Amino acid sequence: MAETPRPEPRYGNRPTMKDVAARAGVGLKTVSRVVNGEPGVTPETERRVREAIDALGFRRNDSARVLRKGRTATIGLVLEDLADPFYGQLSRAVEEVARAHGTLLINGSSAEDPERERELALALCARRVDGLIVIPAGDDHRYLEPEIRAGVATVFADRPAGLLHADAVLSDSFGGAREGVAHLVAHGHRRIGFVGDRPGIHTAAERLRGYRAAMEDAGLPVDERWVAPGPTDPERVAAALAGMLSGPEPVTAVFAGNNRVTVTAVRVLAGRTAVAGGPPVALVGFDDVELGDVLGVTVVAQDPAGLGRTAAQQLFRRLEGAAEAPRRVVIGTRLLARGSGEVPPSSG
Amino acid sequence: MAETPRPEPRYGNRPTMKDVAARAGVGLKTVSRVVNGEPGVTPETERRVREAIDALGFRRNDSARVLRKGRTATIGLVLEDLADPFYGQLSRAVEEVARAHGTLLINGSSAEDPERERELALALCARRVDGLIVIPAGDDHRYLEPEIRAGVATVFADRPAGLLHADAVLSDSFGGAREGVAHLVAHGHRRIGFVGDRPGIHTAAERLRGYRAAMEDAGLPVDERWVAPGPTDPERVAAALAGMLSGPEPVTAVFAGNNRVTVTAVRVLAGRTAVAGGPPVALVGFDDVELGDVLGVTVVAQDPAGLGRTAAQQLFRRLEGAAEAPRRVVIGTRLLARGSGEVPPSSG
DNA sequence: ATGAAAGCGCTAACAA
DNA sequence: TTGTTAGCGCTTTCAT
C-alpha cells in the first residue's frame, strides 16, 4: 500500500488543495487559509503556497465547498423566453442585484410550458440554488411546496404563484390597461378592440379585466367580437385584428395586451393604412417596444428592470432571514402618449 | 423508537438519501438506485423507497453528485449585456442546445468590462462548468490557458479570443459592412459617414475596415471627420452624427456600426427631418432592430441565434471529445433593403 | 437483489 | 502559526 493512486483523473486532471499542499510542503488547511484569505499564515508560508498554486494552475473546486458550507451562492430565475427584450431586461436587473451579493444567476426559459417550468425549477432546486425567482408559465405551483419548506427562498415575478402563498412582485396590469383604454375613450372612441395573451395567464386576464372596467366606467357596451385573447404569434394576432376591423361595425381603436401583440399590431395597422388606404386606427399597447418613440406608438409602459430588481431584493431579504408573511408588491405603469393613441375615431 | 438526531440542519434541513433509506428500511445504495433509475431493485422495494421519498420531500443533492462524478452538466456563457436583444437571442439559442444535451446554462454579463469578464469566467470555472462560451470584452484571454489545459472546453463567439488559439464563431463583420456601404455607393452617395463602436472591439474594427474597403473599391476619398468610432451611448452617437452632418461638406449617408448606434441614428435622423425640415439622410445599419421593417430601416442583418447555436454545438462537440485543431466559423450576413438605404443623396 | 465501505475536494473543529 | 481529523451527500466498488 504505497501512495494514494489517482486512477481516474477527474475534472480533466485538476490539482487539488492536497496537491498544492504537497508541493508547497505545508498542510492542507494552510492552503485552504491562503485560498480563502483567512488570517494566521506567515507571509513566507503564504508566498510558497501561492507559488505552488500558480505553478499547478490550481483553482478551488466550489462544488466541494458548497457541499461543506451548504450555500451555493447561486440563485435561479425561471422565465418565459430570454430572447424577449422584456425578460432580457428583467433578467439583467436580477443579475445586477445578485452580483452585488456575490451570487451567480442561472436562467432558464420555460417557453411558456408549465411542465418545462416545473422541470427547470426542480433542476435548480436539485442544484441547491439558495433562492428562486419564478415567472410562472403554469398556474399550479404546489410542486414547490416541499422545496420552500426545505428552505429554498422563492419569489414570484410578473405573475403571482398559483395555489401557493408566496412573495410576488407584479406590474399593475389591471390599472394600466384600464388607464390605456380610458385614454382611447377620452379621445372619442366607442368601439375599442382588445387583443391579448391567453386568458390563463394572470397578467393577460388582469389586462382584459382592466379593459372591461374602462369600458364599463364609460358606459360603453362590449361586443364580444372585439375581444380576442389567445396566443401571441403574429398569425393569430393578425387574424384577430382583421376580424374586428371588418364587418359593419368595425372597431376604431385597438388595445394590445403585450409587447408582442403591439409589434404585430403596428405592422398590421401600418400596412392597412399605407397599402390599402384604409382609415387610421388608434392603438395603445401594454408594455413599451423598442423604437416605439420614433414610431409614435402610445403605450402603457411597464418597468421590467424595476420588476426584476425588486424581486431580487425581496429574495435576498428572505435569504438574510426576513420571516414576515408573504407579501405582494405592485409596481405602477406609465402611460406614454406618442401619437397612435390620440388618433380620433375615423367614422361613426 | 428514537428519531435520527440532526444537530446541524444544512440546506434548511433537507433529507438525504440516508434519511430516505432509514425510513424505507433499506440500504443507502438501494435509494441511490431508485433515484437514478438503475436496475436491480424489486418493484416492492422500489415502492417503499418512493413512498419514503415523497413523505420526506427528498430531492437529490446535485452538488454532492457532481463532486463524485466530476461533471456538472452546466455550461457558462459570458456575454456583454443580457438586456441587449442581440445577446438575448444568442443566449436563448445556446440554452436550447444545452437543454438538448441535458445541460443548464449560467449567464453572466461583463458590461463590456474586461476585468469583469475575467472574474465571471473564472468564477464559472471554479464551479467546474463543463464548458464555457465567451463573448470577449477584453483582448487578452491568456488567463484562461490553465483552465483550458485543465479541461474546460471553451468557444468564443461574436468576437475572437485575444492572444489565445481557440474555437471562434463570428459574423462576417468585414464583408457585411463592405456590402452595406457599397449599397449606399450604388445609390449615388459619395460622402458617407461611419459611426461605430470602440475600435478596440474586434467586430467594430472589422466593420470600419469594411467601410474603408468599400470606399476604396469605389475610388472615393474618406474624410476623417466622417469616421466616428467610440462608445455607443446615445449622447456620443448623437454628437458624432451632428458633427458629420454639419459643415460645408456634410455626409449624405450614414453607416451605423451596430444595433445601438442604429437605434440612436434612426431617432436623430427622424428628428432632423421632421422637426428641422432638413434633407433626408440615407442610413444603413449593421444588425437588425425590432420594428426595423415597419420603420423602413435598411440593415445588414446578423443571425444572433445562429451564432449562439453554432457556438454551442461546437462546444458540445468538444465536450464529446472532438480533438481537432481550433477552428473559426464565419457566419454570413444579409442585406435587407427597406427604404432608408435607398434614399438618394440630397445635394451635390 | 442489496448493502457496507471508501472517497470525491473541501471546510469546521480541534490539537499541537 | 500550523496541521490533523471528521464529515458534507453522493457514487463507486466490491461483498453478500
Side-chain angles (χ1 to χ4, degrees):
Chain A
M1 37 216 78
E3 69 277 47
T4 319
R6 282 182 141 265
E8 281 243 348
R10 300 187 180 280
Y11 302 115
N13 221 347
R14 278 196 172 264
T16 70
M17 282 191 181
K18 196 171 156 191
D19 300 326
V20 174
R23 168 138 188 164
V26 301
L28 176 60
K29 180 64 209 187
T30 300
V31 177
S32 173
R33 287 196 179 95
V34 171
V35 169
N36 295 299
E38 286 166 26
V41 182
T42 53
E44 163 56 15
T45 308
E46 172 164 355
R47 198 191 50 72
R48 273 173 36 226
V49 170
R50 290 212 181 280
E51 216 168 78
I53 287 175
D54 290 342
L56 264 38
F58 168 82
R59 185 164 313 283
R60 183 182 65 198
N61 184 332
D62 279 353
S63 290
R65 166 172 237 245
V66 157
L67 186 57
R68 207 45 249 246
K69 302 204 73 143
R71 284 242 156 171
T72 53
T74 306
I75 62 172
L77 169 59
V78 179
L79 38 72
E80 192 206 319
D81 179 5
L82 208 42
D84 182 326
F86 180 85
Y87 297 108
Q89 290 171 65
L90 190 153
S91 171
R92 180 64 204 280
V94 171
E95 186 193 347
E96 282 307 314
V97 176
R99 182 177 136 85
H101 289 261
T103 295
L104 284 180
L105 171 66
I106 305 185
N107 281 104
S109 300
S110 69
E112 205 63 83
D113 172 354
E115 180 51 28
R116 193 159 154 185
E117 172 211 303
R118 182 171 167 276
E119 274 170 20
L120 261 169
L122 291 179
L124 291 166
C125 289
R127 288 176 195 227
R128 297 296 188 269
V129 291
D130 299 332
L132 210 48
I133 297 177
V134 179
I135 295 171
D139 48 15
D140 182 354
H141 294 92
R142 283 175 298 181
Y143 71 86
L144 279 173
E145 265 169 4
E147 312 301 324
I148 292 171
R149 215 176 305 121
V152 182
T154 307
V155 174
F156 290 77
D158 191 43
R159 308 165 190 171
L163 309 178
L164 196 68
H165 202 48
D167 288 327
V169 179
L170 315 170
S171 279
D172 182 13
S173 285
F174 173 76
R178 186 181 202 167
E179 185 185 2
V181 174
H183 183 75
L184 289 166
V185 171
H187 282 81
H189 295 274
R190 297 178 54 81
R191 298 197 307 275
I192 303 173
F194 175 93
V195 184
D197 213 330
R198 293 180 290 110
I201 297 171
H202 179 266
T203 48
E206 282 295 290
R207 290 169 201 177
L208 179 51
R209 207 163 63 78
Y211 161 82
R212 291 195 191 279
M215 295 296 273
E216 193 177 322
D217 291 345
L220 295 172
V222 172
D223 185 325
E224 289 308 314
R225 284 169 303 181
W226 303 343
V227 180
T232 58
D233 58 286
E235 293 71 27
R236 208 282 301 181
V237 170
L241 286 169
M244 61 183 69
L245 285 167
S246 63
E249 295 241 301
V251 299
T252 62
V254 171
F255 185 81
N258 72 21
N259 58 351
R260 279 156 305 180
V261 174
T262 304
V263 165
T264 302
V266 167
R267 288 208 177 94
V268 169
L269 298 181
R272 261 178 72 87
T273 308
V275 177
V281 174
L283 174 69
V284 171
F286 202 104
D287 202 15
D288 206 355
V289 293
E290 196 172 43
L291 289 174
D293 56 337
V294 175
L295 278 162
V297 183
T298 295
V299 297
V300 176
Q302 299 187 71
D303 178 8
L307 225 44
R309 194 184 325 112
T310 307
Q313 283 165 345
Q314 175 65 12
L315 185 66
F316 281 101
R317 214 169 288 130
R318 293 287 180 196
L319 286 176
E320 281 151 15
E324 73 240 20
R327 64 166 164 177
R328 178 171 295 202
V329 179
V330 175
I331 295 185
T333 57
R334 278 181 318 138
L335 179 75
L336 304 178
R338 292 168 173 159
S340 75
E342 294 76 50
V343 175
S346 52
S347 68
Chain B
M1 315 291 265
E3 313 250 322
T4 317
R6 293 190 129 257
E8 279 249 346
R10 298 190 178 277
Y11 301 114
N13 221 349
R14 277 196 171 266
T16 70
M17 282 191 180
K18 196 171 154 190
D19 300 325
V20 174
R23 167 135 189 168
V26 300
L28 176 59
K29 179 62 212 186
T30 300
V31 177
S32 172
R33 286 195 179 94
V34 171
V35 169
N36 295 300
E38 287 166 27
V41 182
T42 56
E44 164 56 15
T45 308
E46 171 164 355
R47 197 192 50 71
R48 272 174 35 227
V49 171
R50 291 209 181 282
E51 215 169 81
I53 286 174
D54 290 343
L56 264 38
F58 168 82
R59 186 163 313 283
R60 184 181 63 196
N61 184 333
D62 279 352
S63 289
R65 167 170 234 248
V66 157
L67 185 58
R68 209 45 249 245
K69 301 204 74 143
R71 284 242 155 171
T72 52
T74 306
I75 62 173
L77 169 58
V78 179
L79 39 72
E80 193 205 319
D81 179 5
L82 208 42
D84 182 326
F86 180 84
Y87 297 109
Q89 290 171 65
L90 191 154
S91 170
R92 180 64 204 280
V94 171
E95 186 193 347
E96 282 307 315
V97 176
R99 182 176 135 85
H101 288 262
T103 296
L104 283 180
L105 171 66
I106 306 185
N107 280 106
S109 300
S110 69
E112 205 63 83
D113 173 353
E115 180 51 28
R116 193 161 153 183
E117 173 212 302
R118 183 171 166 277
E119 274 169 22
L120 262 169
L122 291 180
L124 292 167
C125 289
R127 284 169 199 233
R128 296 296 187 269
V129 291
D130 299 332
L132 210 49
I133 296 177
V134 179
I135 295 171
D139 47 15
D140 182 355
H141 294 92
R142 283 175 298 181
Y143 71 87
L144 278 173
E145 265 169 3
E147 311 301 325
I148 292 172
R149 214 175 308 121
V152 181
T154 306
V155 174
F156 290 78
D158 191 43
R159 307 165 190 172
L163 308 178
L164 196 69
H165 202 47
D167 289 327
V169 180
L170 314 171
S171 279
D172 182 12
S173 285
F174 173 76
R178 186 181 201 166
E179 185 184 4
V181 174
H183 184 75
L184 289 167
V185 170
H187 282 81
H189 294 274
R190 298 179 53 82
R191 298 197 308 274
I192 303 173
F194 175 93
V195 184
D197 213 329
R198 294 180 290 111
I201 297 170
H202 178 266
T203 47
E206 283 294 292
R207 291 168 201 176
L208 179 51
R209 206 162 64 78
Y211 161 82
R212 290 194 192 279
M215 294 297 272
E216 194 177 322
D217 291 344
L220 294 173
V222 173
D223 185 323
E224 289 307 314
R225 285 169 302 182
W226 304 341
V227 180
T232 58
D233 57 286
E235 293 72 27
R236 209 281 302 180
V237 170
L241 287 168
M244 61 183 67
L245 286 166
S246 64
E249 295 240 300
V251 300
T252 62
V254 172
F255 185 81
N258 72 21
N259 59 351
R260 280 156 304 179
V261 174
T262 304
V263 166
T264 302
V266 167
R267 288 208 178 95
V268 169
L269 298 181
R272 260 178 71 87
T273 310
V275 178
V281 174
L283 174 69
V284 172
F286 201 104
D287 202 16
D288 205 357
V289 294
E290 196 172 44
L291 288 174
D293 56 338
V294 175
L295 277 162
V297 183
T298 296
V299 296
V300 176
Q302 298 188 72
D303 179 8
L307 226 43
R309 193 184 326 111
T310 308
Q313 284 164 345
Q314 175 65 12
L315 185 67
F316 280 101
R317 214 169 289 131
R318 293 287 180 194
L319 286 175
E320 281 150 17
E324 73 240 21
R327 64 166 162 177
R328 177 171 296 200
V329 179
V330 175
I331 295 185
T333 57
R334 280 182 316 139
L335 179 75
L336 304 177
R338 291 169 174 158
S340 76
E342 295 75 50
V343 175
S346 52
S347 68

